[in-house]
Amino acid sequence: DELMEKYLETGDLSADELKVRVDEQAEQVMTLRLKLKSRKLDNPLSYRVARRELARMKTVLNDKRRAAAQGEE
Protein backbone atom coordinates (compact mmCIF):
# COMPACT_ATOMS: atom_id res chain seq x y z
CA ASP A 1 0.00 0.00 0.00
CA GLU A 2 1.35 3.41 -0.97
CA LEU A 3 0.40 5.07 2.32
CA MET A 4 2.25 2.45 4.33
CA GLU A 5 5.33 2.96 2.16
CA LYS A 6 5.25 6.70 2.86
CA TYR A 7 4.85 6.02 6.58
CA LEU A 8 7.79 3.64 6.59
CA GLU A 9 9.87 6.02 4.47
CA THR A 10 9.44 8.88 6.95
CA GLY A 11 9.96 6.42 9.81
CA ASP A 12 13.52 5.79 8.60
CA LEU A 13 14.51 9.42 9.24
CA SER A 14 15.93 10.62 12.54
CA ALA A 15 13.75 12.85 14.72
CA ASP A 16 15.84 15.92 13.82
CA GLU A 17 15.62 15.27 10.08
CA LEU A 18 11.90 14.65 10.39
CA LYS A 19 11.42 17.91 12.30
CA VAL A 20 13.11 19.80 9.45
CA ARG A 21 10.85 18.11 6.91
CA VAL A 22 7.76 18.85 9.02
CA ASP A 23 8.72 22.53 9.12
CA GLU A 24 9.24 22.60 5.34
CA GLN A 25 5.93 20.85 4.73
CA ALA A 26 4.10 23.23 7.09
CA GLU A 27 5.49 26.17 5.13
CA GLN A 28 4.35 24.58 1.87
CA VAL A 29 0.85 24.00 3.29
CA MET A 30 0.66 27.64 4.35
CA THR A 31 1.72 28.79 0.88
CA LEU A 32 -0.83 26.52 -0.77
CA ARG A 33 -3.55 27.78 1.59
CA LEU A 34 -2.82 31.38 0.62
CA LYS A 35 -2.91 30.48 -3.07
CA LEU A 36 -6.15 28.55 -2.59
CA LYS A 37 -7.85 31.46 -0.84
CA SER A 38 -6.70 33.94 -3.50
CA ARG A 39 -7.88 31.55 -6.24
CA LYS A 40 -4.39 31.27 -7.75
CA LEU A 41 -4.01 27.54 -7.11
CA ASP A 42 -4.37 25.52 -10.30
CA ASN A 43 -5.04 22.22 -8.56
CA PRO A 44 -6.97 22.59 -5.27
CA LEU A 45 -6.43 18.90 -4.56
CA SER A 46 -2.72 19.57 -4.01
CA TYR A 47 -3.62 21.49 -0.83
CA ARG A 48 -5.42 18.46 0.60
CA VAL A 49 -2.56 16.13 -0.35
CA ALA A 50 0.00 18.44 1.28
CA ARG A 51 -2.09 18.71 4.45
CA ARG A 52 -2.38 14.95 4.75
CA GLU A 53 1.33 14.45 4.14
CA LEU A 54 2.06 16.96 6.93
CA ALA A 55 -0.26 15.04 9.26
CA ARG A 56 1.53 11.78 8.42
CA MET A 57 4.92 13.32 9.16
CA LYS A 58 3.71 14.75 12.47
CA THR A 59 2.31 11.36 13.45
CA VAL A 60 5.64 9.65 12.80
CA LEU A 61 7.51 12.39 14.67
CA ASN A 62 5.20 12.08 17.69
CA ASP A 63 5.57 8.28 17.63
CA LYS A 64 9.35 8.67 17.69
CA ARG A 65 9.21 11.17 20.55
CA ARG A 66 6.85 8.96 22.54
CA ALA A 67 9.10 5.93 22.01
CA ALA A 68 12.17 7.92 23.07
CA ALA A 69 10.40 9.15 26.20
CA GLN A 70 9.40 5.63 27.16
CA GLY A 71 12.94 4.48 26.58
CA GLU A 72 14.25 7.02 29.07
CA GLU A 73 11.92 5.88 31.86
Side-chain angles (χ1 to χ4, degrees), residues 49-63:
V49 170
R51 244 186 32 233
R52 289 181 179 175
E53 183 65 26
L54 176 61
R56 260 186 229 103
M57 288 180 185
K58 284 184 174 182
T59 299
V60 172
L61 183 60
N62 286 331
D63 288 347

Side-chain angles (χ1 to χ4, degrees), residues 5-33:
E5 288 177 22
K6 286 185 179 184
Y7 182 83
L8 293 174
E9 176 183 310
T10 53
D12 292 340
L13 299 174
S14 73
D16 292 334
E17 291 171 327
L18 196 53
K19 175 67 175 135
V20 169
R21 291 190 57 188
V22 164
D23 292 342
E24 291 170 355
Q25 187 70 16
E27 189 173 323
Q28 181 182 1
V29 167
M30 186 177 66
T31 302
L32 288 172
R33 182 182 305 133

Side-chain angles (χ1 to χ4, degrees), residues 61-73:
L61 183 60
N62 286 331
D63 288 347
K64 284 182 179 285
R65 287 181 177 165
R66 197 172 298 119
Q70 286 181 354
E72 290 176 3
E73 293 178 2

